[in-house]
Amino acid sequence: MLLLAGCSGGGGSKKPYRTIEEELGLEREGIVQRQATAGNLIRACMGRVGFDGYTAEPKPPGADLSDEDYEKQYGYGITTVYGKEEGAANQTYRDSMSPTDQVAYDRALYGDDPTATFADAVDNGDFTRVGGCTKEATDKVFGGAAVIQSLQTKLDALDDRIQQDPRMVKAVGKWSTCMQKAGYEDLAAPDEVDTVLHNKLEAIVGPPESPKPDYDKAALSALQNEERAIVAADVKCEAKNIDDVELKIRK
């Protein structure tokens, strides 16, 4: 698929350059559309196995916003959507069941691993753990877990090639200096913005497998403001130092 994408240009076209991720529908807008499709498929599957009270999960917060507006309101959506990802209707539906039926519900929805949600798989790129109706929907939306894992591997290889290019190494160094001037010390690369935010979020709300029910909501609100601020700085520093360099390497 990468080779096909690489041969698709030329012909004197004036169309703006589109990344491989955009061509494959794996940018944010494309993923949101796939999530909506998957939600409807999961609902149909759950209905077939007797859980007709399951409803498709609503669109994630900010799904209809442009990238620019999304970043202003949600940053990268790491801390700012905490607690808003799961549909309350399905949680209420599950809570109404007996413990035995809840086990059956979880197995029908997730297979062997009740923590392997579709949203988490999209977020971390690991589709090998999804099961039940979630796997059925994933297979239809992405052509199967093996396909998406193979694609993810190729995209990771492309990213490695970009990051190792001497032009990008120099650009990332300038980005780091830019972030330091904006008040964010000790950030060597853009990926570290996500890591820092994930670590701070987990310190407040607990790890995904054992969340704190009575976490400090004021601390989370402060962290959400911090995310919006650091993302604004990141976007400016990437636009100034990285975006054009990456585009040249990709081409």
Side-chain angles (χ1 to χ4, degrees), residues 10-219:
S13 170
K14 297 298 183 182
K15 292 191 297 184
Y17 175 78
R18 285 170 58 83
T19 66
I20 291 175
E21 292 84 351
E22 289 170 333
E23 293 288 350
L24 295 174
L26 296 176
E27 85 292 8
R28 190 175 65 87
E29 182 179 353
I31 289 295
V32 167
Q33 292 175 352
R34 289 173 190 260
Q35 283 182 298
T37 302
N40 289 327
L41 292 170
I42 293 172
R43 180 186 59 187
C45 175
M46 291 294 282
R48 288 199 306 274
V49 295
F51 297 104
D52 54 9
Y54 180 89
T55 59
E57 296 286 354
K59 287 183 178 179
D64 297 324
L65 296 176
S66 67
D67 285 349
E68 182 178 9
D69 288 341
Y70 184 90
E71 288 162 357
K72 288 179 181 177
Q73 189 166 343
Y74 295 103
Y76 291 146
I78 295 172
T79 71
T80 53
V81 300
Y82 182 79
K84 302 175 183 176
E85 308 98 323
E86 303 298 334
N90 287 327
Q91 187 60 52
T92 300
Y93 176 53
R94 184 183 182 279
D95 290 345
S96 71
M97 301 175 189
S98 68
T100 299
D101 286 344
Q102 287 181 357
V103 172
Y105 173 92
D106 289 343
R107 186 164 188 80
L109 182 57
Y110 302 117
D112 294 334
D113 187 348
T115 68
T117 67
F118 182 85
D120 284 344
V122 168
D123 186 49
N124 60 34
D126 181 7
F127 287 84
T128 60
R129 294 166 46 239
V130 297
C133 289
T134 303
K135 183 178 187 306
E136 180 179 308
T138 299
D139 288 348
K140 291 181 178 177
V141 170
F142 287 107
V147 172
I148 192 64
Q149 285 299 140
S150 175
L151 183 59
Q152 183 67 53
T153 299
K154 292 176 180 177
L155 290 174
D156 288 345
L158 171 63
D159 187 59
D160 287 344
R161 182 174 67 81
I162 292 171
Q163 298 305 319
Q164 293 170 9
D165 189 291
R167 293 169 291 179
M168 181 57 74
V169 173
K170 184 177 180 180
V172 169
K174 291 181 178 179
W175 172 90
S176 181
T177 300
C178 179
M179 291 297 284
Q180 289 178 26
K181 291 179 179 177
Y184 301 100
E185 304 286 342
D186 302 325
L187 291 172
D191 285 352
E192 294 183 7
V193 172
D194 289 23
T195 301
V196 167
L197 290 171
H198 277 296
N199 290 343
K200 288 187 175 182
L201 175 63
E202 191 166 307
I204 294 172
V205 304
E209 63 275 15
S210 58
K212 301 176 183 176
D214 55 349
Y215 64 84
D216 187 338
K217 292 179 174 56

